[in-house]
Amino acid sequence: MKRIVLYVMLAVWWLVPATGYAQQYTGLSGLLHVPSAEMNHEGDAFMGLHFLNKAMTPDTGFLFNGQKYDTYDYYISLTPFRWIEFSYVCTKRKSAANEELWRYHRKDRSVSLKIRPLEEGKYYPAVAFGCNDFGTSAFNKNRSDVQLYFFNYYVAATKHFEFGGNEVGVTLAYRHFLRGYNAKWNGVVGGVTFRPSFFPQARAIVEYTGNEVLVGLDALLWRHLRVQASVKDFKYVNVGLCFQVNLLGEKYVY
C-alpha cells in the first residue's frame, strides 16, 4: 500500500504541467499541515474542497460512536494584498442525530488569517504570523459552548536557495494550539520544498508537524484548477481540489 501511494504521487508530479504555492487544508498558502511565510499572489481567490483523513483532525469533537472518522472541509479564501490572506472554512462533523454513519449533519466554522510583514530578501527570510479558527469566540475560550477545535497561532520564516538552477525552500515555524488535545502539534515545526531546474513548475514538499512526517505534492492545472495530495507517515492519505482565479486579471505560471 505504501508503495502504491508513493507511485501515484510521483505520477501526479510528473504528469501535471504547472504548480503553485502549496496549499493548506485551511485554504491559505503554506506547506501541508505546517504554516509557512510564503503567500499567494495578490488578487488570488480560492474556492475548494479537502478530504481530511481522521489522523489529521483533533482527537475531540470528531468522534462518532467513540471512534474517529474521516471527514472533509470546504472553504473560500482571498489574498487582497501581497502581505495578507484570509479564509473561511467549514469542516463537516457527524452527530448522535445521524441516521447513517456516512451522513454529516453538523459543521465546524472557522476563520483563518495570515500576515507577512517582511518579504524575503537576498540575505534574510520572509517572516509571517497568523492564526487559525480565530474570531470573537477566541476571546471567550472559557465558555462551554465555544469549541475552537482548530484554534492555533504561529510565526513562520521561509527562505529559498538556488543551486544549479534548482530551488530549495526551507521553512521553520513555531506554532501553539489552544486546546490540549492538539498539543502534539505544538512547538517548533518546519519543512523543505524542492523545485527542480528541469521542471521548475513542479514542487515536492516534506514536513515535520511536531508529531509526524508528511510528504506531498500540489499542482495548478490550466491556471485555475489546483490539486494537492499528501500522505501522513506513509499511512494516511489526504487530497484537496480547488478552483483558483486572480481577480486582478494577472496570469501566473506558478
Side-chain angles (χ1 to χ4, degrees), residues 56-163:
M56 292 284 285
T57 59
D59 293 333
T60 296
F62 291 85
L63 299 174
F64 186 81
N65 291 337
Q67 300 292 324
K68 291 189 69 177
Y69 53 86
D70 299 333
T71 185
Y72 65 94
D73 68 21
Y74 53 91
Y75 57 82
I76 56 173
S77 67
L78 179 66
T79 308
F81 304 102
R82 61 185 182 183
W83 52 270
I84 185 172
E85 295 178 358
F86 59 86
S87 68
Y88 175 74
V89 186
C90 289
T91 306
K92 298 297 289 184
R93 298 177 59 209
K94 296 181 179 181
S95 69
N98 287 10
E99 298 177 357
E100 302 289 344
L101 289 177
W102 54 268
R103 300 188 67 180
Y104 296 81
H105 282 227
R106 306 178 65 186
K107 55 187 174 184
D108 179 75
R109 301 177 180 86
S110 62
V111 176
S112 297
L113 173 71
K114 181 162 75 169
I115 296 174
R116 183 180 63 184
L118 181 65
E119 291 190 44
E120 182 176 349
K122 183 177 181 180
Y123 300 108
Y124 53 86
V127 176
F129 61 89
C131 185
N132 297 319
D133 198 4
F134 82 99
T136 56
S137 58
F139 300 99
N140 300 296
K141 59 186 179 182
N142 293 322
R143 284 172 41 189
S144 59
D145 60 336
V146 175
Q147 298 162 334
L148 300 175
Y149 294 122
F150 298 96
F151 181 83
N152 70 88
Y153 55 85
Y154 60 85
V155 58
T158 299
K159 185 75 176 74
H160 295 90
F161 303 92
E162 291 190 8
F163 61 95

